[in-house]
Amino acid sequence: MTLSKAQDEVDEWANQYKVPYWTPHEILARLTEEVGELAREINHTHGPKKKKTPTEGSTIKEEMGDVLFTLICLANSQKIDLDECFQKAMAKCYGRDKNRFEKK
Amino acid sequence: MTLSKAQDEVDEWANQYKVPYWTPHEILARLTEEVGELAREINHTHGPKKKKTPTEGSTIKEEMGDVLFTLICLANSQKIDLDECFQKAMAKCYGRDKNRFEKK
Amino acid sequence: MTLSKAQDEVDEWANQYKVPYWTPHEILARLTEEVGELAREINHTHGPKKKKTPTEGSTIKEEMGDVLFTLICLANSQKIDLDECFQKAMAKCYGRDKNRFEKK
Amino acid sequence: MTLSKAQDEVDEWANQYKVPYWTPHEILARLTEEVGELAREINHTHGPKKKKTPTEGSTIKEEMGDVLFTLICLANSQKIDLDECFQKAMAKCYGRDKNRFEKK
């Protein structure tokens, strides 16, 4: 699955609806919600917070999928190419920030 | 760029370092920071907050790249396949949530 | 209720437990979770997202209480005086940022 | 400083401006930004991320003040009494969640 095809699949899904994409602020609020659910799972799995019921169930994996999906919605709504975003983030890693951490 | 290849590229970058990946809580804190920077850009571009200086510069696009990069770091550190996460998120859209919004 | 008394009440509650306060990263993850729940309520009340069931119930008010409570936990765990934090934030409003928005 | 007086002080400040309070989504985006800055400071102080420059300076204390200030703005904009929110959060701690963690 390429990033570009993932963006297309989300777009096809969104275009079934009267309002394909919410406003940037609304999608951002949704992203905040999904990151919050991921945070809860990380505290459950790697931290101190007991699950209310053991079968409550959603997992880190599922929450990461929801974060990615919401990020793609935001990108699509703004006609942003995530592939390009990723290339720039990697370039920054190898450029500006390359001596930020201790190498092997 | 496939999601799988993006995960490999980040992994290659991370493996230069003594500590390739931080703990889940540390990466989550970084993700929270990056989502916060995205939120700032959204308020600057679509909302009421004036930039302190007009050329301050980082953009929604750049911040989205940083969010995606950090999400990939978290996935890699936990040996999670983002492709699979995405498929599950899409399946949920077409399944459980399919009548959640008004169709065309 | 003063900020200082609120901090004391939370401290009294926390000190019943073997581990009164989690680590800063764990409390931060909890804060991220609570802000996420607040975001969900804001999308429900002021935005486009339908509640799954109409009586699902937690409200903006409740979520704001949880955010405040978690912030107080973080302050207590780090021996930080929130009263002082608030004074500094107000001072910044009247100082550095005083011409950031258009006055009446 | 009582919570109620803190809300009044913020209100007095806000009412100097043409638009005293932003929309709930805009204030939420600002809260997300401030929590992100707090996350960055926590990674700097308790985690693995080196500061770009050692005197960069904002601290956990300052960021907590900004989170609290933004929460108060949201409360004021929605005519929500934070004192009441806090009481409810404490009541939940002593009620529903009272056996969630191991006691001394």
Side-chain angles (χ1 to χ4, degrees), chain A residues 22 30 33-34 37 40 56 58 62-63 66, chain B residues 92-93 95-101, chain C residues 40-41 43-45 48-58:
Chain A
W22 303 347
R30 179 66 176 269
E33 180 188 343
E34 298 298 354
E37 293 184 0
R40 186 190 57 202
E56 217 179 345
S58 73
E62 271 174 64
E63 299 306 341
D66 292 344
Chain B
K92 207 162 57 174
C93 284
R96 190 191 76 180
D97 295 339
K98 72 171 182 276
N99 295 315
R100 204 137 173 221
F101 303 102
Chain C
R40 186 191 57 203
E41 289 309 308
N43 262 352
H44 282 161
T45 309
K49 196 183 166 188
K50 277 196 236 166
K51 289 231 177 196
K52 282 177 208 167
T53 61
T55 55
E56 218 179 346
S58 73

Side-chain angles (χ1 to χ4, degrees), chain D residues 7-90:
Chain D
Q7 291 194 254
D8 288 347
E9 285 199 8
V10 170
D11 203 51
E12 195 182 334
W13 170 81
N15 276 297
Q16 300 173 81
Y17 297 101
K18 275 206 176 168
V19 181
Y21 296 106
W22 304 345
T23 70
H25 276 89
E26 288 163 353
I27 305 179
L28 177 69
R30 177 65 177 269
L31 184 64
T32 303
E33 180 188 343
E34 299 298 352
V35 172
E37 294 185 359
L38 177 59
R40 186 191 57 202
E41 289 309 307
I42 285 177
N43 262 353
H44 282 160
T45 310
H46 300 277
K49 195 183 167 190
K50 279 195 235 166
K51 289 232 179 195
K52 282 177 208 167
T53 62
T55 55
E56 217 178 346
S58 74
T59 64
I60 290 180
K61 218 175 205 168
E62 272 174 64
E63 300 306 341
M64 291 189 70
D66 292 344
V67 172
L68 180 58
F69 174 82
T70 309
L71 192 68
I72 292 173
C73 287
L74 183 58
N76 285 357
S77 78
Q78 302 301 301
K79 313 275 183 218
I80 284 173
D81 178 349
L82 274 179
D83 206 304
E84 207 183 299
C85 294
F86 175 74
Q87 309 289 356
K88 277 194 182 170
M90 283 309 308

Side-chain angles (χ1 to χ4, degrees), chain A residues 7-8 11-12 14-15 20-22 24 27 71-85, chain B residues 46 60-61 64:
Chain A
Q7 291 194 256
D8 288 348
D11 202 52
E12 194 183 335
N15 277 297
Y21 296 106
W22 303 347
I27 305 178
L71 193 68
I72 292 174
C73 287
L74 184 57
N76 284 358
S77 78
Q78 302 301 301
K79 313 274 183 220
I80 285 173
D81 178 348
L82 274 178
D83 205 305
E84 206 183 300
C85 293
Chain B
H46 300 278
I60 289 180
K61 216 175 206 170
M64 290 189 71

